[in-house]
Every structure is written in structure tokens, then in C-alpha cells.
Amino acid sequence: MRLVKIENNQMKRAEQLQDLSREHHGSLVMAKRIAEIAESGDESAITEAIETVKDYYENELEVHFQHEERTIFAPIFKEYREHIGIATQLLKEHGAMRMLMPKLHVASAREDLAEFASMLKNHTRIEERELFPIVESTFSDEQLDAILNFVPLE
């Protein structure tokens, strides 16, 4: 299956994109949780949330970014130049989230966590709603399989 199908109000992705979509679901859950903590103003929860976000970034999000950059953005820049605009936007957002990580400190945590949560949520939605349909309709089977079979560098 290559195209998105709607079944029982749920999107069904091409098999090769399903792992990334599951990770996106986790990102949306994380973004919601972090936004709620930031809004609460609870200092102990905010301090804990900083560590949670840093751990999430180091152990999950950075690998996810690299996965997309190498298996989705690279082919778009090389072969599907009509979609460079969205790839450039999303790549810049990866960079902005990367740059936010070292800034996460208790003194500005409430604002930084709210910013991170908003960026992560909006970014993830664009990838799911706009980027993935492009990938499903334009990438070759070999390119889709490269997404499925991605192995991060150690």
C-alpha cells in the first residue's frame, strides 16, 4: 500500500512510514504533556520536565530527526525539488529544536518548555499531514524501503 487510507477515522500509512508515524504519536503526547506542565507553573514538575525533555531529545528525537533527514529530506533535495520548500521548513525546525536543548534551564524553563512543546506539536502535524502524503505519492519503492530500513549512526 502506498497511499493513505482512512479507516474508522484513522489514517493508515504506507508500511514503510508506520514506525515514524508511531514516533510522531509519541511526540504529540510528549508535546501535550510538556505544554500542560509549563502552563501549570509547578516548579518541581517544570524541573523534572526539563530533564524529561533533554532525555527524550537525546534518546529518541535526535535519532528521529536524523532518520527523516537522511531518508526523506535528502531524496527530496536530490530528486523531488518541487517539494524543497516543505523540506527546508522542516529541516529549519529540526535545527531550532536542536538549538533550544542547551537553553533549557530552570530560570527560563516555563517559557522554553512551552516553546518546545508548541514547536514539536506543530512540526509533527506538518510532517504527518503534509510531508508524509508527499512521500507516499512520490517516493519509489526503494526509497520507501530505505525509510523502513534506516539504521542510525552510532
Side-chain angles (χ1 to χ4, degrees):
M1 169 185 34
R2 294 201 31 128
L3 298 177
V4 174
K5 288 187 176 184
I6 306 293
E7 295 176 7
N8 300 327
N9 292 327
Q10 292 192 1
M11 283 196 290
K12 184 156 176 78
R13 287 272 168 235
E15 176 187 350
Q16 297 94 331
L17 292 173
Q18 287 179 9
D19 288 342
L20 286 173
S21 277
R22 277 189 285 279
E23 291 172 14
H24 282 165
H25 176 74
S27 293
L28 291 172
V29 170
M30 173 67 75
K32 183 175 189 243
R33 191 169 110 208
I34 296 303
E36 289 169 352
I37 291 169
E39 190 175 314
S40 78
D42 179 332
E43 286 189 36
S44 65
I46 287 174
T47 301
E48 187 177 320
I50 291 171
E51 293 310 311
T52 299
V53 167
K54 286 181 177 183
D55 183 64
Y56 169 68
Y57 171 76
E58 290 173 14
N59 294 308
E60 296 180 44
L61 196 57
E62 179 56 34
V63 171
H64 179 88
F65 286 170
Q66 290 177 25
H67 188 165
E68 292 172 339
E69 290 163 5
R70 293 183 187 153
T71 64
I72 296 175
F73 299 161
I76 288 174
F77 282 106
K78 185 176 180 183
E79 295 180 45
Y80 306 107
R81 299 188 61 78
E82 67 274 21
H83 302 295
I84 282 179
I86 191 168
T88 300
Q89 172 192 342
L90 294 168
L91 192 56
K92 285 179 182 178
E93 291 173 6
H94 283 189
M97 284 185 269
R98 284 177 171 124
M99 290 175 59
L100 186 58
M101 286 303 112
K103 286 179 30 179
L104 285 177
H105 298 290
V106 175
S108 60
R110 190 169 181 189
E111 296 81 19
D112 293 344
L113 289 172
E115 179 182 359
F116 176 78
S118 177
M119 277 196 294
L120 183 62
K121 178 181 85 171
N122 294 333
H123 176 84
T124 301
R125 286 184 172 164
I126 290 170
E127 287 184 345
E128 280 293 324
R129 294 174 181 171
E130 297 178 37
L131 179 67
F132 280 12
I134 291 168
V135 170
E136 289 174 316
S137 67
T138 59
F139 277 35
S140 68
D141 288 337
E142 293 79 19
Q143 289 167 323
L144 288 169
D145 288 344
I147 295 168
L148 178 65
N149 298 317
F150 173 75
V151 176
L153 297 175
E154 300 217 2

